[in-house]
């Protein structure tokens, strides 16, 4: 496997999906490549977790 350069669907920045990350995704059975860069992925998770906390 080789590294892939992907484009973030939120900010449009290019990011590298490394061979090691691809192997990890395959081991976990994930079928899709990440669509967000690490920074946007972190922000998305923070927003989602904040929303879940408000519902409790």
């Amino acid at each position: 496997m080789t590294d892939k350069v992907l484009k973030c669907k939120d900010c449009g920045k290019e990011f590298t999906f490394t061979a090691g990350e691809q192997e990890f995704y395959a081991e976990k059975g994930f079928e899709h490549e990440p669509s967000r860069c690490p920074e946007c992925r972190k922000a998305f998770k923070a927003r989602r977790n904040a929303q879940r906390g408000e519902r409790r």
Side-chain angles (χ1 to χ4, degrees):
M1 257 183 232
T2 60
D3 292 354
K4 291 183 181 181
V5 176
L6 304 176
K7 189 172 183 177
C8 178
K9 74 176 190 177
D10 287 351
C11 70
K13 184 175 89 174
E14 290 186 343
F15 65 98
T16 303
F17 186 37
T18 67
E21 290 170 324
Q22 292 174 53
E23 289 175 14
F24 174 80
Y25 270 56
E27 287 173 8
K28 295 294 182 182
F30 299 147
E31 296 180 7
H32 303 286
E33 296 176 341
S35 57
R36 292 180 175 92
C37 67
E39 295 84 12
C40 288
R41 199 174 317 145
K42 184 177 177 181
F44 178 80
K45 286 180 182 180
R47 283 192 308 269
R48 185 180 63 207
N49 289 339
Q51 288 173 346
R52 286 182 178 169
E54 291 173 4
R55 287 188 242 160
R56 292 182 181 169

